[in-house]
Amino acid sequence: MSKDFIERPHQNEKDGAIAYVQNLLKQAREDRRNEDVDKLENLVHLLNTKKYGLVWEEHTELVEEEMKTKIPVFVENGTKKIVGNPESEDFNFLLEGDNLHSLQLLKKTHTGKIDVIYIDPPYNTGAKNWKYNNNYIDSKDSYKHSKWISMMKSRLDCARHLLKDDGVLVCAIDENEVATLKLLLEEVFGNEFIVDIVTIIQNPRGIQGNNFSYTNEFALFVYKKNYKVIFEREVDENDIDWSPLRNWGSESLRTDAKNCFYGIKIKDEKIIGFEDVLDDDEHPTKNKYLEDGTIIVYPIDNSGIERKWRYARQTVESIWDILRATCKKNVWDIEIGKPYAPYKTVWFDKKYDANEYGTQIINSMVPHNDFDFPKSLWNVYECLYATTKEKENAVILDFFAGSGTTGHAVEMLNKLCGGNRRYILATNNAIGEKKEREFKKKFGSPEENKHEYSKYEEEFGICSSITYPRLKAVSDGYIHKKDFKEILFEKKLTQSLFKKFDLLKAEVDTIVETMEGKYDSVKTVFEDASIKVIGINKKGKPIEGIPHNIKYFKTSFVDKEEFPDVTLEYELLNYITPLVELEFGVDISNPKVQVILSEDQLDEMDESDFVENSTIFFHPEIFFDVKQERILREKKITKQEIPHYYFGKDIWS
């Protein structure tokens, strides 16, 4: 630790202020200015009072101090590159290193470019699940709240710059810091943003606290006001909200929209087609019944008044799938249903179970895994579905990547919903408390055995031993190490459902019959006041991969003191390529991708070095001559100027 390092940077200022006021207090007492004594004593009391929430004792991290003398850069680990889908030129990225360093670099490449940030930071439970300045924070640390707030604020400040205008930040948290986090998010993002809290039941069994058994955690959604950023969810068939297709109220008459008055054909209780718009002189008084059993339904109300359908004839066929025929008191009518509905603020589903769909999944994907409390895959999936359902090319960032659940969820979303969403994951390579105890037992202090500790991190660190292997398993496929259950169908048993039990049984039987070949066994069970169909895969079952491409970058540093003059800028040119790859999602080893950083490099290129239908990324101060421009045109090469903010030592500092 640097001799001038101050973990609580404002502590000296505070101590100085207290000392100054105490001198004034001493003088006031000597002068017997009792009124001033009372005021000054109260001021000393206020200066010594600790408050948390929006007011906290600010701390500084070693990783922040490090950037005063060193510039973080990315270096690719080529041995961990994954090309699961060679037909695609797009890449995802795994960034190893302190996430504050990664975020500082991402500010150069992705300011205003991230669609969704999903993070699952340390919950600050006091259970030694995170470190601050190389020390585990436990329940005995009297500054645990202020250290956590300081840590989060520096990273959220960066996150705010990375989001698009219509971007969303989703932050998972539990009851320990949920109130503090909401206040902090409101402070960082300001009045332009909304902070909504969703309760997710992720442990139905409950974790016993002092008085309550905790079954839930929270997801805080942060987004700009006046933006529609949370897409609607699919609604279970029994929960669809049905309403008349026929208009009511003002401007609902036939004369208000003549192209909305036509017949809808029903047969065998199903809609089979639509008639043309009726002429003005045609006035049916009721529905028409044909000899073949077809019924023509018109938008005529019970009083015989000619009204209109909500949708014109030219568009009604596009919503055919959300219409149904109903019969009430022997009169047929048409209803429209909404298969989608806004998300509610409480999410309850078996698939959010962190044990069944978190721990069990990662145990199958990563042998000898010791990662504590991984998120349910479907918990993260649902958050991403809600925010990127209609953003098929979204870029998702997670800078507390942990076991890599976010990357897994992104690829699962692409598989199930289509699209080409890409992810950027950032995590450190720290070892867990168990492995650290094991190291100390074998070697002693990490500070005194840095070389051995570095090798230990490389083997057992979270990024190299958990995050990366999991992402590789997502791409390559894996084998279940234990029996794995998947809920295929679930419905609450309500009174109305019992009335249609024959239909329910037929639906369940169909699902069982369809799925029996896809699972080792399929069974129907009744539990939690629900009927469920569960598919069971026995251990040893291979799970098909979702092939995709990943590049692995590790944070390194350029020491400013080694390059005290203009040579620093030239040294930093060596680290431009990873930033280009990161910002544009490309692979420099692809022949159709070239990076040119100097005029000399460009002049040395022969015509044969220019690849047809490729992209050239070039330094903004490079100019192409007439001959080079001709080659680019003839070979249909795209020019992409590298942003100017990549260059210059002032920018990098």
Side-chain angles (χ1 to χ4, degrees):
M1 185 180 294
S2 165
K3 62 181 181 180
D4 58 349
F5 172 72
I6 303 171
E7 186 182 85
R8 295 157 59 199
H10 294 293
Q11 184 61 35
N12 286 355
E13 297 173 18
K14 184 176 175 180
D15 289 344
I18 291 172
Y20 178 75
V21 176
Q22 284 177 332
N23 284 332
L24 294 177
L25 177 61
K26 181 181 178 183
Q27 189 63 49
R29 284 172 175 158
E30 291 175 355
D31 297 342
R32 298 188 177 185
R33 292 183 279 113
N34 294 332
E35 186 177 343
D36 288 344
V37 168
D38 290 341
K39 291 178 179 177
L40 291 167
E41 284 180 340
N42 188 48
L43 184 56
V44 171
H45 172 73
L46 290 172
L47 287 169
N48 280 305
T49 300
K50 296 177 185 177
K51 295 181 180 180
Y52 298 107
L54 289 180
V55 180
W56 69 93
E57 291 207 53
E58 192 174 354
H59 296 253
T60 296
E61 294 178 76
L62 285 169
V63 293
E64 293 178 90
E65 285 294 301
E66 200 168 20
M67 287 189 287
K68 291 180 179 179
T69 58
K70 297 179 180 179
I71 298 173
V73 294
F74 284 134
V75 178
E76 183 179 1
N77 183 339
T79 65
K80 292 184 176 179
K81 177 179 170 183
I82 298 172
V83 186
N85 184 12
E87 295 181 2
S88 171
E89 297 180 358
D90 293 328
F91 274 78
N92 303 278
F93 293 87
L94 176 59
L95 314 177
E96 179 200 320
D98 189 276
N99 58 7
L100 188 59
H101 294 153
S102 294
L103 286 167
Q104 290 297 330
L105 289 168
L106 285 168
K107 282 173 69 175
K108 302 181 188 300
T109 62
H110 282 79
T111 291
K113 295 180 179 180
I114 300 294
D115 294 279
V116 175
I117 298 175
Y118 178 94
I119 55 173
D120 185 18
Y123 285 3
N124 204 21
T125 63
K128 291 187 176 181
N129 61 353
W130 70 289
K131 282 185 174 182
Y132 194 88
N133 292 338
N134 299 329
N135 295 311
Y136 281 108
I137 303 300
D138 59 27
S139 56
K140 297 178 181 178
D141 192 324
S142 59
Y143 295 104
K144 79 169 190 173
H145 290 292
S146 58
K147 287 178 178 177
W148 187 87
I149 295 169
S150 296
M151 180 272 296
M152 289 296 297
K153 185 174 186 304
S154 60
R155 288 153 179 79
L156 291 173
D157 282 336
C158 293
R160 178 172 56 85
H161 292 289
L162 299 178
L163 278 179
K164 290 181 175 178
D165 279 347
D166 63 344
V168 184
L169 169 74
V170 186
C171 187
I173 203 68
D174 72 359
E175 70 280 353
N176 286 282
E177 296 287 5
V178 63
T180 303
L181 179 60
K182 187 174 188 298
L183 293 173
L184 182 61
L185 288 167
E186 289 172 345
E187 175 170 305
V188 170
F189 285 86
N191 295 329
E192 291 182 81
F193 286 77
I194 291 171
V195 182
D196 279 331
I197 302 179
V198 172
T199 300
I200 304 176
I201 310 301
Q202 50 83 41
N203 188 348
R205 294 167 297 279
I207 300 173
Q208 185 60 49
N210 289 332
N211 293 289
F212 292 96
S213 180
Y214 296 103
T215 62
N216 68 287
E217 62 180 27
F218 307 93
L220 278 67
F221 288 72
V222 185
Y223 53 91
K224 267 190 177 180
K225 294 177 180 178
N226 304 320
Y227 277 86
K228 176 63 177 175
V229 295
I230 308 299
F231 299 103
E232 294 187 325
R233 62 183 178 88
E234 287 190 44
V235 177
D236 187 272
E237 186 179 343
N238 289 323
D239 296 328
I240 292 176
D241 181 22
W242 294 96
S243 59
L245 182 65
R246 184 176 65 252
N247 264 154
W248 292 92
S250 61
E251 299 184 358
S252 66
L253 298 176
R254 176 180 180 176
T255 52
D256 293 321
K258 295 181 180 181
N259 61 345
C260 293
F261 193 87
Y262 50 87
I264 297 178
K265 296 189 284 187
I266 302 170
K267 190 173 183 178
D268 298 328
E269 302 182 1
K270 294 182 180 178
I271 297 172
I272 62 171
F274 306 88
E275 291 193 325
D276 294 332
V277 174
L278 268 66
D279 293 333
D280 291 346
D281 59 354
E282 293 184 81
H283 297 280
T285 57
K286 59 183 179 180
N287 296 336
K288 186 185 299 182
Y289 291 78
L290 306 182
E291 291 183 0
D292 65 352
T294 301
I295 304 168
I296 313 296
V297 181
Y298 299 101
I300 301 172
D301 66 21
N302 296 333
S303 302
I305 298 174
E306 293 181 345
R307 299 195 180 273
K308 65 182 181 71
W309 300 121
R310 294 192 208 175
Y311 295 92
R313 176 61 185 88
Q314 61 264 34
T315 61
V316 68
E317 289 185 67
S318 66
I319 59 164
W320 197 333
D321 59 329
I322 60 172
L323 301 179
R324 73 175 183 182
T326 61
C327 187
K328 298 176 182 177
K329 297 181 180 180
N330 295 320
V331 178
W332 285 95
D333 204 351
I334 307 298
E335 291 183 336
I336 183 170
K338 292 178 63 177
Y340 297 93
Y343 274 91
K344 296 180 179 178
T345 53
V346 178
W347 296 0
F348 183 93
D349 197 297
K350 185 72 173 176
K351 66 186 180 184
Y352 305 137
D353 189 324
N355 177 57
E356 204 159 312
Y357 296 100
T359 301
Q360 288 191 32
I361 288 178
I362 194 172
N363 284 344
S364 293
M365 303 178 80
V366 184
H368 314 298
N369 159 63
D370 61 353
F371 188 81
D372 294 327
F373 311 116
K375 269 288 180 293
S376 162
L377 170 65
W378 301 108
N379 181 329
V380 182
Y381 176 97
E382 199 73 43
C383 292
L384 298 182
Y385 180 89
T387 50
T388 71
K389 178 182 132 183
E390 297 179 13
K391 294 183 175 181
E392 295 189 345
N393 295 304
V395 178
I396 293 102
L397 168 67
D398 182 351
F399 52 86
F400 285 100
S403 68
T405 306
T406 299
H408 193 169
V410 169
E411 292 307 317
M412 188 62 74
L413 189 59
N414 286 336
K415 178 181 178 180
L416 298 181
C417 299
N420 188 36
R421 301 165 186 82
R422 292 185 292 115
Y423 61 80
I424 301 171
L425 307 186
T427 183
N428 60 34
N429 203 35
I431 61 176
E433 187 192 6
K434 293 178 184 176
K435 287 295 180 183
E436 183 149 311
R437 286 201 307 267
E438 181 183 290
F439 177 89
K440 289 178 179 178
K441 190 174 180 181
K442 286 184 179 179
F443 301 100
S445 166
E447 289 78 15
E448 296 174 359
N449 299 274
K450 292 182 179 180
H451 181 67
E452 288 80 7
Y453 195 73
S454 179
K455 292 193 296 183
Y456 219 70
E457 283 183 319
E458 189 59 35
E459 184 175 359
F460 300 111
I462 182 175
C463 192
S464 56
S465 71
I466 297 175
T467 320
Y468 174 76
R470 177 179 188 168
L471 296 176
K472 191 172 189 318
V474 172
S475 183
D476 296 348
Y478 60 98
I479 295 174
H480 275 306
K481 301 294 190 297
K482 297 181 179 179
D483 289 356
F484 185 78
K485 299 178 181 178
E486 188 172 352
I487 299 174
L488 308 174
F489 174 86
E490 181 177 7
K491 278 188 179 177
K492 287 286 184 184
L493 293 172
T494 62
Q495 189 173 359
S496 60
L497 197 59
F498 274 113
K499 293 179 180 179
K500 302 184 288 184
F501 194 79
D502 289 344
L503 293 174
L504 176 63
K505 185 178 183 303
E507 186 178 4
V508 169
D509 289 345
T510 301
I511 293 171
V512 171
E513 185 178 346
T514 305
M515 294 295 181
E516 274 182 332
K518 299 180 181 180
Y519 294 86
D520 295 322
S521 65
V522 179
K523 60 181 184 180
T524 305
V525 299
F526 295 89
E527 61 181 27
D528 302 328
S530 300
I531 181 171
K532 300 177 184 179
V533 179
I534 299 174
I536 302 171
N537 280 320
K538 298 291 184 182
K539 62 181 180 182
K541 178 84 171 181
I543 302 300
E544 185 180 353
I546 311 173
H548 62 289
N549 305 326
I550 306 171
K551 290 180 86 68
Y552 189 115
F553 289 168
K554 187 171 182 175
T555 303
S556 186
F557 295 93
V558 173
D559 193 332
K560 295 179 186 179
E561 294 179 358
E562 291 184 18
F563 307 93
D565 51 27
V566 72
T567 57
L568 176 60
E569 185 172 351
Y570 292 109
E571 175 64 18
L572 292 174
L573 286 176
N574 297 318
Y575 303 96
I576 294 294
T577 296
L579 297 183
V580 171
E581 292 184 303
L582 183 59
E583 178 167 355
F584 297 95
V586 298
D587 176 22
I588 192 62
S589 68
N590 185 339
K592 292 190 175 181
V593 177
Q594 294 174 290
V595 176
I596 302 175
L597 297 176
S598 67
E599 294 272 6
D600 291 341
Q601 184 185 352
L602 177 61
D603 293 338
E604 289 172 2
M605 294 177 65
D606 295 325
E607 185 167 343
S608 59
D609 294 325
F610 292 86
V611 181
E612 288 189 12
N613 299 310
S614 64
T615 299
I616 288 179
F617 296 88
F618 64 97
H619 192 295
E621 295 181 3
I622 290 177
F623 296 95
F624 294 79
D625 61 27
V626 175
K627 179 184 177 183
Q628 292 161 345
E629 289 286 0
R630 176 186 59 78
I631 295 171
L632 297 178
R633 287 195 304 273
E634 291 177 352
K635 294 196 173 188
K636 298 179 179 177
I637 296 172
T638 302
K639 290 194 312 182
Q640 176 64 59
E641 183 179 295
I642 300 172
H644 66 87
Y645 47 76
Y646 279 24
F647 306 94
K649 68 179 181 180
D650 292 337
I651 298 296
W652 283 72
S653 63

